[in-house]
Amino acid sequence: MKSLNLNLNLNLNLNSGLSTENLAADNMSGKQAKYLVIAEALRKAIKEGQVAPTEWLPSARKLAQQLAVNRHTIMAALAELVAQGWVEAKERSGYRVVANLPIQSSRPVNKVNQRAQDFDWQFRHKQNIPVTPKIKASQYVYNFSGGQPDIRKFPFDEFKGHFAQTCQRPKIDDLSYGDSRGEAELITEISTYLRRVRSITDKEMMICNGSQEALYMISQLLLQPGDKVAVEQLGYPPAWAAFERAGAELIAIEQDERGIDPVHLAKVLAEGDVKLLYLTPLHQYPTTVSLDIARRMKIYQLAVQYGVAIVEDDYDHEFHYDSQPIAPMAADDPAGLVIYISTFSKIMFGGARIGYVVADNALITQVSAYKMLMNHKSNVLVQQAVAKWMQQGGFEGHLRRMTRLYQKRRDFMVLELKSYQAKGMPIHFEVPAGGMAIWLDTGKSIVGLKEKLLAKKVYLQTEVEFNMLKELPECDYRFIRLGFAAMNEVEVAQGLSIVMAVLYSEES
Ligand SMILES: Cc1ncc(COP(=O)(O)O)c(C=O)c1O
């Protein structure tokens, strides 16, 4: 009886993850031998506790029938599991799961909670935000996530060629441990690019595992518990988290329609103890406003006067549509106090984990020493492939194509929003000169909106997430950030119609 139930469970599992079609496809593409795919599915079933230690597996004949494969294939899969120590063969009886599974994590999920008491970890810091959301933004049908590129448009085939090249002629020396600053050829490529498009010269660069790693290391190196970090009141929470983790206190600087207010900043700096000022001067995150020259100069003078370093996060300067983007503060930094960071997460995708930090030699030396301590260096193969992509012009071509596409998508979203305005929706927005999102005043409180939209398969971020001030009256949070880059026109139109319906329906 027991063995009958077991068969049923395995049936379900195998059929979902391992259809005959999948097997055939894998085989044809030469990905993985059929018997290994089956062994993996069985191993997963054992690890998940579908088959407990000492329980019998279905017979090879039954498995062969279920999966429509040859019995020899099943025998090979079982032999593989025996070799790995997951099952044992009993003569004339068949195969059963061993009593002691090879690894501790194989403990069936439903038995984990039977431990008498959990170990009492003494955390120095405790993370109080969920590290990985249950459902990722990209898994929603409509993803208005503000900084999300359209990853479907990335030229994977072309990029694959650069990866292949790096493996065909491996640089053995670079592939070992060593210089934590990053691959010299990638640093050369990005430095040349930055000199041309952002006028940044006479600074050093190092490659990081995304700009978040740079923010974290800078915080750890420069901040003491009790130091203050001045940040835009509406800003980028992952940067705030890095500063706070180093023990810093965040001070929110007021913003108006021209960006961060230098008068308020001057007041805060005069009160003392501010170590760092974190800014997104171009396409401010999340409001998309670019700081004008006059304010930048005033802010820079204040930083010099009070001896405060500026972290300039130039996260999406590549996408600017109506003119050349204004040069970064790092381009004119006689005092050498600007730490410039940027990323390939918008050009490629967040999972590429390529970011960089550009600053004076003394700082870069310390950051690279810190990186050595944390993780030696960033992934060499990816860096080399990106360097080749840049050297051979693919990077520039991709940027040109994506800039054109995102401009069209921005214009489309603007038209859509204007049509809602014409229908009487009380929405207001400025057309952003660049970036990947529109900051929209909905004219009403957006508290609770995100949750309602998630239930309708729409992901977007609201002012509640970006505003450092958490205690304002609900009616003071009115903005949403609508990313326009990741979706095509049909998706944007459909997604917006759901957003508007939820925002302005009778009951909301
Ligand atoms: C303001 C800002 N800075 C930095 C980043 C990129 O971070 P990373 O390079 O770690 O992916 C993002 C991406 O969302 C961002 O919005």
Side-chain angles (χ1 to χ4, degrees):
M1 205 52 202
K2 182 151 194 164
S3 117
L4 203 67
N5 281 337
L6 183 62
N7 279 344
L8 280 175
N9 285 340
L10 267 177
N11 258 341
L12 281 174
N13 183 266
L14 291 178
N15 285 341
S16 57
L18 190 86
S19 68
T20 324
E21 230 171 51
N22 283 347
L23 288 174
D26 283 351
N27 235 17
M28 272 180 346
S29 67
K31 256 196 244 158
Q32 201 179 20
K34 217 185 273 185
Y35 79 94
L36 287 178
V37 180
I38 296 170
E40 173 58 29
L42 285 167
R43 192 167 66 88
K44 190 162 167 271
I46 296 169
K47 279 181 77 175
E48 286 173 353
Q50 288 189 53
V51 207
T54 73
E55 272 192 85
W56 293 98
L57 291 180
S59 72
R61 185 181 48 79
K62 266 197 180 151
L63 283 173
Q65 259 171 12
Q66 282 164 19
L67 295 168
V69 295
N70 192 299
R71 197 166 147 266
H72 293 298
T73 310
I74 298 293
M75 295 307 287
L78 292 169
E80 179 68 21
L81 290 176
V82 171
Q84 290 176 8
W86 292 93
V87 301
E88 56 192 355
K90 290 279 165 196
E91 220 176 313
R92 280 197 289 277
S93 307
Y95 290 82
R96 70 176 181 193
V97 179
V98 295
N100 297 308
L101 296 175
I103 53 169
Q104 174 67 18
S105 63
S106 312
R107 184 201 305 265
V109 177
N110 57 3
K111 293 195 181 157
V112 167
N113 294 333
Q114 288 177 11
R115 205 184 289 124
Q117 205 185 346
D118 284 339
F119 186 73
D120 184 18
W121 301 109
Q122 299 294 310
F123 293 106
R124 186 159 71 92
H125 296 290
K126 198 129 185 238
Q127 199 75 29
N128 52 13
I129 50 166
V131 178
T132 329
K134 276 202 204 93
I135 307 175
K136 291 190 250 165
S138 55
Q139 289 172 306
Y140 287 88
V141 176
Y142 305 102
N143 177 10
F144 285 102
S145 181
Q148 181 69 17
D150 193 340
I151 301 175
R152 299 169 297 191
K153 300 278 177 196
F154 186 74
F156 287 101
D157 265 348
E158 175 190 278
F159 195 72
K160 193 171 74 183
H162 299 303
F163 245 120
Q165 272 182 352
T166 61
C167 292
Q168 269 154 12
R169 283 182 289 281
K171 293 190 175 163
I172 303 297
D173 222 29
D174 292 350
L175 287 167
S176 188
Y177 297 111
D179 192 356
S180 57
R181 287 192 183 205
E183 285 303 285
E185 54 182 322
L186 182 58
I187 290 179
T188 304
E189 286 304 316
I190 302 178
S191 302
T192 310
Y193 166 67
L194 285 186
R195 194 174 317 121
R196 189 162 52 73
V197 302
R198 304 304 279 142
S199 310
I200 296 177
T201 53
D202 66 30
K203 283 187 187 283
E204 305 272 322
M205 172 183 296
M206 72 171 279
I207 308 291
C208 298
N209 199 22
S211 50
Q212 185 66 24
E213 188 185 53
L215 283 167
Y216 178 79
M217 292 189 292
I218 291 161
S219 310
Q220 293 297 317
L221 283 163
L222 296 182
L223 298 173
Q224 305 267 8
D227 283 343
K228 293 177 182 165
V229 176
V231 298
E232 296 144 327
Q233 181 193 322
L234 291 159
Y236 184 54
W240 301 344
F243 304 139
E244 285 186 310
R245 176 47 55 94
E249 182 195 343
L250 302 179
I251 309 288
I253 307 298
E254 291 163 11
Q255 284 161 261
D256 58 23
E257 64 294 338
R258 286 173 59 204
I260 180 173
D261 176 10
V263 177
H264 186 229
L265 176 67
K267 245 172 70 190
V268 167
L269 295 185
E271 283 162 15
D273 298 333
V274 175
K275 261 292 186 53
L276 221 58
L277 166 61
Y278 170 76
L279 288 179
T280 47
L282 188 80
H283 317 150
Q284 199 270 335
Y285 188 99
T287 65
T288 78
V289 172
S290 286
L291 255 192
D292 57 43
I293 300 270
R295 284 206 175 176
R296 282 169 192 241
M297 285 175 64
K298 183 69 199 150
I299 290 166
Y300 188 81
Q301 284 158 5
L302 287 168
V304 174
Q305 181 183 345
Y306 290 99
V308 173
I310 298 175
V311 175
E312 178 175 30
D313 186 350
D314 203 19
Y315 64 105
D316 67 356
H317 63 84
E318 288 81 6
F319 304 115
H320 201 80
Y321 310 118
D322 304 325
S323 60
Q324 278 298 307
I326 191 166
M329 297 173 90
D332 185 13
D333 176 24
L337 54 75
V338 177
I339 306 167
Y340 176 92
I341 61 172
S342 192
T343 181
F344 273 55
S345 292
K346 318 291 171 185
I347 305 167
M348 298 176 72
F349 33 84
R353 302 319 298 142
I354 294 208
Y356 47 92
V357 51
V358 180
D360 73 2
N361 186 40
L363 187 95
I364 294 295
T365 304
Q366 284 307 311
V367 181
S368 55
Y370 197 94
K371 180 159 173 73
M372 182 75 90
L373 179 73
M374 274 174 61
N375 54 26
H376 285 285
K377 63 202 295 193
S378 295
N379 185 311
V380 173
L381 284 181
V382 177
Q383 290 182 67
Q384 290 181 349
V386 172
K388 288 197 164 42
W389 188 44
M390 294 182 85
Q391 278 157 8
Q392 295 169 30
F395 167 80
E396 294 279 345
H398 175 62
L399 275 188
R400 272 196 301 276
R401 280 192 302 278
M402 298 319 280
T403 308
R404 273 200 301 272
L405 179 70
Y406 293 165
Q407 178 164 12
K408 267 183 68 191
R409 289 183 175 180
R410 177 202 63 174
D411 294 346
F412 179 76
M413 187 180 270
V414 166
L415 278 180
E416 284 287 294
L417 292 174
K418 283 190 173 158
S419 78
Y420 284 107
Q421 264 174 338
K423 284 182 211 152
M425 314 280 180
I427 53 175
H428 295 281
F429 61 98
E430 294 293 324
V431 178
M436 305 160 97
I438 288 177
W439 184 241
L440 187 87
D441 184 349
T442 65
K444 60 182 291 199
S445 170
I446 46 71
V447 175
L449 174 69
K450 179 169 182 150
E451 291 67 27
K452 284 186 200 158
L453 286 171
L454 291 181
K456 295 192 178 297
K457 303 191 172 27
V458 177
Y459 180 91
L460 59 64
Q461 287 176 290
T462 70
E463 183 180 351
V464 179
E465 295 167 71
F466 305 119
N467 202 324
M468 250 205 71
L469 307 184
K470 300 293 176 207
E471 309 283 311
L472 299 177
E474 286 200 358
C475 58
D476 282 2
Y477 303 99
R478 294 198 320 259
F479 287 81
I480 57 179
R481 187 165 150 90
L482 290 172
F484 53 74
M487 288 190 286
N488 64 32
E489 294 183 359
V490 174
E491 291 163 330
V492 165
Q494 289 174 351
L496 274 183
S497 73
I498 300 173
V499 174
M500 294 298 158
V502 170
L503 255 172
Y504 302 110
S505 67
E506 291 292 302
E507 69 274 17
S508 69

